[in-house]
Amino acid sequence: MSELSVNHLLGIKYLTKQDIDLIFETADQFKEVINRPIKKVPSLRDITIANLFFENSTRTKLSFELAEKRLSADVINFSASQSSVKKGETLIDTVNNILSMKVDMVVMRHPNPGAGVFLSKHVNASIINAGDGAHEHPTQALLDSYSIREKLGTVKGKNVVIVGDILHSRVALSNIYALQLQGANVMVCGPKTLLPKYIKDLGVKVETNLKKALEWCDVANMLRVQNERMDISYFPSTREYTQQFGVNKELLDSLNKEIVIMHPGPINRGVEITSDVADSKQAIILNQVENGVAVRMAVIYLLASKIKQ
Amino acid sequence: MSHKVLLNSKEVNIILHRLACQLIENHDDFSETVLIGIQPRGKFLADRLAQILTDDYKIKNIQLGHLDITFFRDDFRRGDKPLEANTTIISFIVEDKNVVFIDDVLYTGRSIRSALTAIQSFGRPKDIELLTLIDRRFSRHLPIQPNYRGRQVDAIDNQKVIVKWLENEGEDAVYLVDK
């Protein structure tokens, strides 16, 4: 019988290939469950999960909450904007106060990289990183790989390009780790100002010409331009970014093959991809959202099985 | 570890045909009946019975599904081993149908309790029956009994009943093993 090699999901960096396989096999079963007339199972009826979101999120928070409720866990939600964090309370004090209410698992989004790792060393609960600054977003990377596997049969050997704001993207880093662990070839493509200097050290190809990148790949994962994380101007204008790194129907039609288009959302329609591309049959953006619930159910279920009664 | 053969291949075959005939007696042409093999081991018995009903007794359009109960069990986080899920394949509605649960061994009854909860995700059956190849009587934790049983077996708690199937283990046989 297999189990996860970790007690927390802090980043893809800490997982093994076997962990990812186990998460995907379990997610397959949960995907079947969430397509039943009754989408709920009683597995986690004795588990309490706190969703601590120190940074705004809509889809990730909803996806986690839905996953937890479909596993019958008790859920409490916390938003930093409506809390004592504003009064100067530290992260550990906030979390310890919540854990005093007998919480078994914490799903945390935090603006600071490493917040999840820090927390896992100081509190006695299972931690799931739902995004820590520009560091990692492991469940997003897992659902992205799961969606590629569902669409193309396997991740191994596939050419995947991640396009856009690599510098500020936790999705990009987690995806690079996850895809490489599963044997995919990874390329990043974007303006030079948005490609980190260390990126080649991760063993990825680098391309600044979008057309060449799309000709090379089987899958293009289009990232959102994160204006909120840009303290300086990284490109002259949104219009220029769209002209050089936006995907439109004409560009896709000019390729001699059909590639898969992904986007972690939220989409800036007309910036990273045009509406006709986002709504085309090549785009699996809504499949990613559906798979997100199944993958998060699998992660929560497998981590909960390691919490001793 | 000692092995005792409870049923050999020939005996298993006779019992399977008897169980198939008992099902026909109660369910006629199976138009209102669905067979549900309980994962992981009940699916082999369910598949075999469906095959006999189709091939030997010419019953058409048998509705057969496989139900995984992992997420409905009451021992999650209690055992030493993690619970690993299997596949559920039920491509029909069980609403108002006569459901026959099929499992290889009935022991404590907890798996069947979980199956009773799990099947509700697919509708409200008219009634539910239980068919089991081996009924370990005197071992029940819950008030659950089979409607159809292949062989009743008296075994103590440190003994295990192992059912082997030709498709999976290369032989049809039932063994009583000391743990």
Side-chain angles (χ1 to χ4, degrees), chain A residues 29-30 36-37 43 46 304 307, chain B residues 71 77 86-88 121-122:
Chain A
Q29 309 316 324
F30 281 121
R36 291 178 187 177
S43 303
D46 57 345
I307 300 172
Chain B
F71 303 132
R77 301 199 297 128
N86 300 289
T87 312
T88 292
S121 298
F122 298 90

Side-chain angles (χ1 to χ4, degrees), chain B residues 103-133:
Chain B
D103 208 354
D104 60 348
V105 180
L106 176 61
Y107 182 31
T108 62
R110 287 177 187 270
S111 296
I112 301 305
R113 200 244 8 113
S114 304
L116 288 167
T117 312
I119 198 67
Q120 290 174 24
S121 298
F122 298 90
R124 182 178 179 271
K126 187 175 171 195
D127 62 41
I128 301 177
E129 293 181 328
L130 173 61
L131 180 151
T132 180
L133 182 67

Side-chain angles (χ1 to χ4, degrees), chain A residues 149-183:
Chain A
R149 168 182 173 268
E150 184 180 67
K151 180 76 179 173
L152 301 178
T154 179
V155 176
K156 191 175 182 183
K158 299 298 176 197
N159 295 339
V160 183
V161 62
I162 304 170
V163 182
D165 182 0
I166 310 297
L167 182 66
H168 297 103
S169 177
R170 52 191 170 217
V171 175
L173 191 59
S174 283
N175 258 295
I176 290 168
Y177 289 140
L179 291 164
Q180 288 183 336
L181 204 54
Q182 295 168 88

Side-chain angles (χ1 to χ4, degrees), chain B residues 8-42:
Chain B
N8 61 29
S9 169
K10 189 178 173 185
E11 289 166 326
V12 169
N13 194 37
I14 291 168
I15 287 173
L16 289 178
H17 278 82
R18 173 169 57 77
L19 290 170
C21 290
Q22 287 178 334
L23 284 173
I24 294 169
E25 280 175 26
N26 287 347
H27 296 274
D28 193 22
D29 63 356
F30 286 75
S31 57
E32 293 302 312
T33 299
V34 300
L35 305 181
I36 302 286
I38 308 297
Q39 288 271 38
R41 304 287 303 178

Side-chain angles (χ1 to χ4, degrees), chain A residues 54-113:
Chain A
F54 293 88
E55 195 180 66
N56 290 335
S57 164
T58 305
R59 69 199 62 227
T60 304
K61 188 164 178 284
L62 283 178
S63 182
F64 266 112
E65 199 171 333
L66 199 56
E68 292 152 2
K69 287 183 172 172
R70 286 189 169 158
L71 288 164
S72 302
D74 289 318
V75 179
I76 54 173
N77 287 306
F78 165 96
S79 298
S81 58
Q82 301 154 6
S83 74
S84 295
V85 173
K86 292 279 181 209
K87 300 174 189 168
E89 191 174 60
T90 65
L91 174 60
I92 287 188
D93 281 343
T94 304
V95 175
N96 274 329
N97 272 296
I98 290 166
L99 292 180
S100 301
M101 301 172 198
K102 307 297 176 201
V103 167
D104 304 290
M105 191 179 281
V106 171
V107 175
M108 187 174 73
R109 168 164 291 190
H110 201 280
N112 296 338

Side-chain angles (χ1 to χ4, degrees), chain A residues 5-59:
Chain A
S5 65
V6 292
N7 293 322
H8 312 276
L9 180 62
L10 303 173
I12 301 292
K13 191 169 55 176
Y14 306 98
L15 298 182
T16 64
K17 169 77 167 56
Q18 288 71 30
D19 288 333
I20 293 180
D21 289 343
L22 177 62
I23 291 168
F24 286 179
E25 282 159 21
T26 311
D28 285 341
Q29 309 316 324
F30 281 121
K31 187 145 186 199
E32 186 274 320
V33 167
I34 61 178
N35 282 300
R36 291 178 187 177
I38 295 172
K39 301 163 177 60
K40 199 164 171 144
V41 294
S43 303
L44 265 65
R45 63 199 145 200
D46 57 345
I47 293 274
T48 305
I49 304 177
N51 297 319
L52 311 185
F53 279 71
F54 293 88
E55 195 180 66
N56 290 335
S57 164
T58 305
R59 69 199 62 227

